[in-house]
Amino acid sequence: MTTFNLIIPDMACGACSETITQAIKAIDPSAEVNSDLSSKALQVNASVNENSITQAIVQAGYTVEKP
Ligand SMILES: [Cu+2]
């Protein structure tokens, strides 16, 4: 498992973070996702690479930035 720190600028509410969490869990069911809406920060603990995580988030309709 590797920890990735990402910024999701358009993650505005709990539904957004839930959508993003489910998109990540779809590619890695064992992933742990923590989000902080106030800072738009997403911390992902996963066994897939960062590119796969970014792609899953983009396909869910969100943009991804590096912290
Ligand atoms: Cu939302």
Side-chain angles (χ1 to χ4, degrees), residues 10-17 37 62:
D10 40 5
M11 180 171 68
C13 70
C16 295
S17 56
L37 292 173
Y62 296 89

Side-chain angles (χ1 to χ4, degrees), residues 20-63:
I20 292 164
T21 299
Q22 292 309 318
I24 295 167
K25 284 183 177 289
I27 58 166
D28 182 1
S30 65
E32 294 163 21
V33 182
N34 291 298
S35 56
D36 180 45
L37 292 173
S38 59
S39 62
K40 312 293 187 191
L42 195 76
Q43 187 179 71
V44 183
N45 203 355
S47 52
V48 293
N49 65 30
E50 183 168 344
N51 214 24
S52 301
I53 294 169
T54 299
Q55 277 186 7
I57 296 170
V58 168
Q59 280 175 6
Y62 296 89
T63 52

